[in-house]
Amino acid sequence: MRKEKTKKITQAMTFIIIMGVVSLFSDMTHEGASSIRGEYLSLLGASASVIGFVSGLGELVGYGLRFVFGRITDKTKKYWFMTILGYFIDVVCVPTLALVNKNGWIWACVLLILERTGKAIKKPAKSTIVSFAASQEGAGKSFAVQEALDQIGAFLGPVMLYFVLKYKQGTTLDKYSAAFAFLTIPAVLTMVSLFFAKKKFPNPENFEPESKKTVNFRKSHSFILYIAGISFFAFGFIDFSLVTMHVANNHMFTDSQLPLIYALAMIVDAVSALFFGNMYDKKGFSALVWSTVVSSLFSLFIFGFQNKSIVMLGIILWGIGMGAQESILKAAVSTMIPKASRAAGYGIFELSFGLFWFLGSWILGILYEKSIIAMITLSVVSQLISVPFYIISEKKIKSEQNSEN
């Protein structure tokens, strides 16, 4: 009788999954908050332009400082210290929003900026240690698994808040405060699972051998073109805070339903990350091109129509775009940047992405109050402009590889 061989999960994949569980609890915390953040700021007295500015500024801080902390991580090699410090700041700030009083939108904005600072500290280090393990399993697949687990948390967080908002008694502000306080639970679980990961895998850098090649990626034409492409994509990708504010102000969904529509976007994000992540390992940058083309019309369907079904279609497309952003965009960086300087490479990537997300969120938030048609047009066109940059960047990568051989 022939024995069937069962494929054993490698140590590298075990590490990727454990770090995915960390992301799951972390996203339950801050993505749960994101599902109601826009309406919460509006409730506290912030205008649409303020929400757009703060959302963009948060992304600028959260992404821009990653360049600094990426450099620090590369120089010190303190991957775990930077990861743990960043996660701690990240998950502590979210439940603290429960303590903000009425008309305290400025304090809420400060906490949101601090939360993004925590992400800035952790992200280059975390992405780098995951990329070490990904070198054994395939970058697209590895970051897709991370993103899928991440987005399961991003789905569960808003769903939990739906029940809190639905059944909590009191004023609307009381309900929102209770929702943020409830996020203390996944915040604690984030830190517990993170310390478990560190204990089990104290030296994740050992997964990937040192490269003998020294590549000055800052002068690589392929990397520069890629950064230009992701910058245009980021500029046109509208923050979900503006989405929740829009659908709430137009009475398309109730306050308790807002977390559910965000949960839908997150589950679409998870599925699309797996699909396009595997596609990236097989087809390369074609995955970036197709995911961008498919998702680019989300703003038209969300902001251009009052029909719930069409708006929901737009939210699904937004989720596809987010899935690409959080998985294959990072996978591409891991295949372009050598191990020794990868955290700095991620820092440059995050800086560019955050800067243009900030500018886009701010400008699109202003346009929302002036001309929704102009906002939609700018969003769609900017995302589509990224496509030729992806295509040319991939061609440059192949020519650079051929010149080295």
Side-chain angles (χ1 to χ4, degrees):
M1 192 173 176
R2 187 166 59 90
K3 292 183 179 179
E4 291 188 7
K5 291 183 178 180
T6 56
K7 190 175 180 181
K8 186 178 179 181
I9 297 178
T10 64
Q11 287 290 92
M13 182 52 70
T14 299
F15 176 69
I16 290 167
I17 291 172
I18 293 174
M19 291 304 294
V21 172
V22 173
S23 293
L24 186 154
F25 289 128
S26 174
D27 263 39
M28 285 179 70
T29 308
H30 60 74
E31 296 296 1
S34 294
S35 69
I36 59 174
R37 183 178 63 200
E39 179 59 14
Y40 185 55
L41 290 176
S42 179
L43 180 68
L44 293 174
S47 64
S49 57
V50 167
I51 293 172
F53 176 81
V54 170
S55 297
L57 180 61
E59 298 306 329
L60 175 62
V61 171
Y63 281 91
L65 289 179
R66 293 178 201 189
F67 172 70
V68 176
F69 291 114
R71 295 277 305 236
I72 293 172
T73 302
D74 270 341
K75 288 184 179 296
T76 64
K77 307 300 180 187
K78 300 289 186 181
Y79 300 112
W80 275 123
F81 174 78
M82 300 298 288
T83 302
I84 291 171
L85 175 63
Y87 265 112
F88 178 77
I89 296 171
D90 182 10
V91 298
V92 163
C93 288
V94 174
T96 308
L97 285 164
L99 303 177
V100 175
N101 296 320
K102 187 177 181 181
N103 299 319
W105 62 269
I106 294 177
W107 289 110
C109 291
V110 170
L111 286 170
L112 291 172
I113 299 300
L114 285 174
E115 182 254 329
R116 293 298 168 177
T117 303
K119 291 193 76 172
I121 296 171
K122 81 182 183 187
K123 274 290 187 177
K126 188 225 174 177
S127 294
T128 301
I129 60 178
V130 171
S131 76
F132 294 151
S135 67
Q136 296 188 16
E137 297 292 331
K141 173 185 174 183
S142 299
F143 280 97
V145 169
Q146 275 279 298
E147 178 64 6
L149 288 168
D150 188 282
Q151 296 316 112
I152 289 172
F155 169 78
L156 293 175
V159 169
M160 288 193 311
L161 295 197
Y162 163 76
F163 289 105
V164 175
L165 291 173
K166 186 175 178 64
Y167 294 108
K168 169 65 180 176
Q169 301 297 315
T171 65
T172 304
L173 185 60
D174 290 337
K175 292 181 178 182
Y176 276 91
S177 296
F180 283 112
F182 191 81
L183 293 175
T184 303
I185 297 171
V188 171
L189 292 174
T190 299
M191 298 310 299
V192 171
S193 56
L194 184 61
F195 280 111
F196 173 78
K198 181 181 183 296
K199 182 178 180 180
K200 189 170 179 64
F201 296 96
N203 300 296
E205 61 271 23
N206 293 340
F207 283 121
E208 182 178 348
E210 294 291 340
S211 175
K212 295 180 180 179
K213 294 189 299 181
T214 56
V215 181
N216 188 347
F217 63 89
R218 294 175 183 83
K219 294 183 180 179
S220 166
H221 290 162
S222 61
F223 186 68
I224 293 170
L225 287 165
Y226 179 71
I227 292 299
I230 62 102
S231 297
F232 277 109
F233 175 82
F235 186 92
F237 201 79
I238 297 171
D239 189 88
F240 208 80
S241 296
L242 203 58
V243 176
T244 55
M245 190 208 71
H246 172 75
V247 297
N249 287 351
N250 285 275
H251 308 291
M252 285 185 268
F253 300 94
T254 64
D255 285 344
S256 63
Q257 289 174 332
L258 293 181
L260 293 184
I261 65 171
Y262 191 72
L264 170 66
M266 293 300 97
I267 206 68
V268 171
D269 179 333
V271 174
S272 67
L274 288 171
F275 176 81
F276 286 110
N278 281 290
M279 183 180 177
Y280 176 81
D281 284 338
K282 296 175 183 177
K283 302 290 185 180
F285 276 37
S286 294
L288 288 173
V289 172
W290 283 110
S291 63
T292 301
V293 170
V294 170
S295 68
S296 62
L297 293 176
F298 76 83
S299 59
L300 172 63
F301 296 131
I302 293 174
F303 297 96
F305 296 88
Q306 294 292 316
N307 183 285
K308 278 189 178 182
S309 298
I310 296 177
V311 171
M312 293 299 283
L313 173 60
I315 289 168
I316 289 170
L317 295 180
W318 187 93
I320 291 173
M322 181 61 73
Q325 171 192 322
E326 291 292 336
S327 59
I328 53 179
L329 289 183
K330 293 178 182 177
V333 174
S334 74
T335 57
M336 297 170 75
I337 307 300
K339 177 183 178 182
S341 53
R342 193 168 297 153
Y346 273 115
I348 292 173
F349 163 79
E350 307 279 19
L351 170 62
S352 301
F353 196 97
L355 174 61
F356 281 89
W357 199 348
F358 162 66
L359 293 173
S361 295
W362 187 13
I363 293 171
L364 292 169
I366 293 172
L367 285 178
Y368 177 85
E369 298 179 328
K370 304 292 184 181
S371 170
I372 288 183
I373 293 176
M375 182 195 75
I376 293 170
T377 302
L378 183 59
S379 171
V380 174
V381 170
S382 181
Q383 290 175 79
L384 291 177
I385 288 175
S386 69
V387 171
F389 283 98
Y390 295 150
I391 295 171
I392 299 171
S393 177
E394 184 174 38
K395 290 181 180 179
K396 285 289 184 181
I397 291 172
K398 291 177 181 178
S399 66
E400 287 167 0
Q401 290 173 343
N402 290 334
S403 65
E404 290 174 5
N405 296 331

